[in-house]
Structures are given as C-alpha cells and as structure tokens.
Amino acid sequence: MKRERVLIIGGSGGMGLATAKVLIKNDYEIIVSGRTEAKLIDISNQLGPNSSYVVMDASNTVELRNKLTELPKIDHMVVAVSVRANASDIKTTSEENAKQAFQRFWISYNVLHFASQVLNRNGSVTLISGSSGKTPLKGYGVWGTLHGSLNTLVKQASIDIAPFRVNAVSPGGIGINTDRQLTEHRGNVEDIANMIFAIISNPAVTSTVIDVDGGERMGTWNG
Ligand SMILES: NC(=O)c1ccc[n+]([C@@H]2O[C@H](COP(=O)([O-])OP(=O)(O)OC[C@H]3O[C@@H](n4cnc5c(N)ncnc54)[C@H](OP(=O)(O)O)[C@@H]3O)[C@@H](O)[C@H]2O)c1
C-alpha cells in the first residue's frame, strides 16, 4: 500500500519532531520543514529513507505558497511552528509584539488558504493551539486570544475547505510541573505526537480541538 505523505511545518522542533518519529514508525512518508537547513538534514538522516525536508520561512506568504505548490501532492499537513514574542497581557503588550505572536495565526491561516492546491482528496490539516485559549486568565491576554482564534479558525476552515479535514491539538503544561493540572502525568511532546497521529489516521475526525493538557486550567488552578 502507498504510504501517505505528511508535511510537518516546524518539523525540527519538539512537538513537530516527536510527531515525525511517531508517523515514521506508523509507515507514513514525512517531509520536515523549518528555516534551518542544518537541523533538517540531521533530522532527515535520523528519520531514514521515508523522509525528506524542505527549507522555508512559513511566515513569508510568497515563499510558503511557492514551496507548498512545488511539492508533490501531500496527504496531511501539520503546523507545529513556534513564534517567540514578548507578549503577555493586553494592557502591557504593544501592538507590534502582539502582531509578532499572531504570526502563528497567519502561518496557520495561509496553510489552510493554500491547502486545497496542495492536498490529496483524503487530506487533512492539523494545527497546534494552546490551553490558554480555554479560560481567560490574567497575564495571558495575547496568547489566550491567539489560541482562541486558532480554535475558531479550525471550526470555520473545516467548513470552508471541506472535504479536507481540519483539527487542532491544544497542548498545555508540556515539560512543566503537574501542579497546574488534574493528572499526575508530566506532559511531554510524545503526548502531542500521539494525538496528532490519532487525528491524522482517523478519517471521521474533523472540526475538533482536542485538549492534551492534563486538565490544565480546570478546577481551582489560577495560574
Ligand atoms: N509547551 C507547551 O505546553 C505549549 C502550550 C501551548 C502551545 N504550545 C505551542 O506549541 C507549538 C510547538 O511548540 P514546540 O515546543 O514544539 O516548538 P519548538 O521546539 O520551538 O519548535 C518550533 C519549530 O518551528 C520551526 N519554525 C519556527 N518559525 C518558523 C517559520 N517562520 N517558518 C518555518 N518554521 C518555523 C522551528 O525551526 P526553525 O527555527 O529552524 O525555523 C522548529 O522546527 C508552539 O507554537 C508553542 O507555542 C506549547
């Protein structure tokens, strides 16, 4: 049977690479993408013959469109990029810094915008949002709004680009103490990767945002 091909944008980072490893083990063909070629070469060597890489800055819309449309047809795309920004609450974060944080929204938006030119008919796009989108909390104004926007983008795009499937995994507390959470399990990138695999491999799953956060921001936790 032909392997399904998955492009992971941000495939050289923590969650993206963990996803690549889980998918390779499950017989997918992987294309990892990021801005730093040296990291991608190393990762592609680690992943073996069913992997390749593409260097791109996904925040450059023209570059993103050109690279996506030059690739052979893809079955699934995962957006796992991170964007560093000096952002916290709305009172103190400047427009410039908030816009920097929202680069992640626009990368996700553009991947969805171009998806129908890139994906095979069974295709899907999986985004990463974040647990701060769940409950408004002091100090998280920008990130909470970003993650809430990504969650709404999933719902709307799943209608607008159907039959392509659109979902998100919403992580929380990855690699940090469990005192913020309901579970005793310390979250790790494999938790996210396994959920992305579950979403990609299940043709009935679309328009969902799945929390993988140990119940962070539930109950009495106040940040
Ligand atoms: N840890 C948590 O609990 C948590 C909670 C909520 C949300 N999240 C979100 O989860 C996402 C993934 O986190 P992570 O820790 O896996 O991130 P990470 O380790 O920092 O990896 C980010 C990846 O994105 C790539 N990248 C960054 N900017 C890019 C661009 N403009 N174009 C193309 N590739 C780009 C990086 O490679 P290059 O630098 O080489 O381009 C790298 O491969 C992040 O957005 C993070 O905010 C995490």
Side-chain angles (χ1 to χ4, degrees):
M1 206 178 79
K2 199 176 155 297
R3 286 187 170 81
E4 290 194 335
R5 184 179 291 129
V6 184
L7 171 66
I8 306 177
I9 303 173
S12 58
M15 296 180 199
L17 177 56
T19 303
K21 287 179 177 169
V22 167
L23 294 178
I24 280 277
K25 270 196 206 139
N26 284 282
D27 278 339
Y28 287 83
E29 179 189 328
I30 303 299
I31 306 173
V32 281
S33 180
R35 293 165 302 179
T36 317
E37 185 165 25
K39 279 198 280 182
L40 297 171
I41 292 174
D42 184 42
I43 284 164
S44 195
N45 287 338
Q46 280 179 47
L47 293 173
N50 294 321
S51 74
S52 58
Y53 69 87
V54 57
V55 183
M56 70 174 161
D57 180 351
S59 68
N60 179 326
T61 308
V62 174
E63 187 176 337
L64 176 69
R65 188 199 57 214
N66 290 345
K67 293 282 167 111
L68 289 181
T69 51
E70 279 163 14
L71 286 170
K73 284 270 182 178
I74 290 180
D75 297 293
H76 308 281
M77 291 194 279
V78 176
V79 183
V81 298
S82 68
V83 174
R84 309 270 169 246
N86 184 15
S88 55
D89 66 87
I90 289 163
K91 188 172 171 184
T92 59
T93 305
S94 67
E95 179 187 353
E96 191 187 1
N97 287 335
K99 278 184 171 164
Q100 169 72 12
F102 264 73
Q103 245 187 33
R104 225 172 98 213
F105 176 87
W106 291 113
I107 290 171
S108 301
Y109 180 93
N110 281 325
V111 168
L112 291 162
H113 177 64
F114 297 128
S116 56
Q117 298 171 50
V118 175
L119 291 175
N120 284 321
R121 238 179 128 65
N122 63 333
S124 76
V125 178
T126 306
L127 307 180
I128 307 268
S129 67
S131 63
S132 60
K134 238 158 110 171
T135 319
L137 203 63
K138 203 160 176 53
Y140 288 84
V142 173
W143 298 110
T145 307
L146 167 67
H147 292 144
S149 305
L150 285 166
N151 293 346
T152 303
L153 179 67
V154 164
K155 302 283 176 190
Q156 189 62 54
S158 66
I159 296 168
D160 290 354
I161 71 163
F164 303 114
R165 298 187 291 116
V166 184
N167 298 288
V169 172
S170 178
I174 302 302
I176 57 179
N177 291 335
T178 54
D179 59 356
R180 294 176 166 196
Q181 299 172 329
L182 300 178
T183 59
E184 291 181 337
H185 169 74
R186 189 187 168 99
N188 57 56
V189 290
E190 287 74 27
D191 301 333
I192 307 304
N194 287 326
M195 186 54 75
I196 293 173
F197 168 50
I199 288 172
I200 285 179
S201 59
N202 191 328
V205 177
T206 193
S207 201
T208 62
V209 176
I210 301 183
D211 296 336
V212 181
D213 63 2
E216 192 176 72
R217 289 166 202 271
M218 301 291 284
T220 56
W221 181 62
N222 63 7

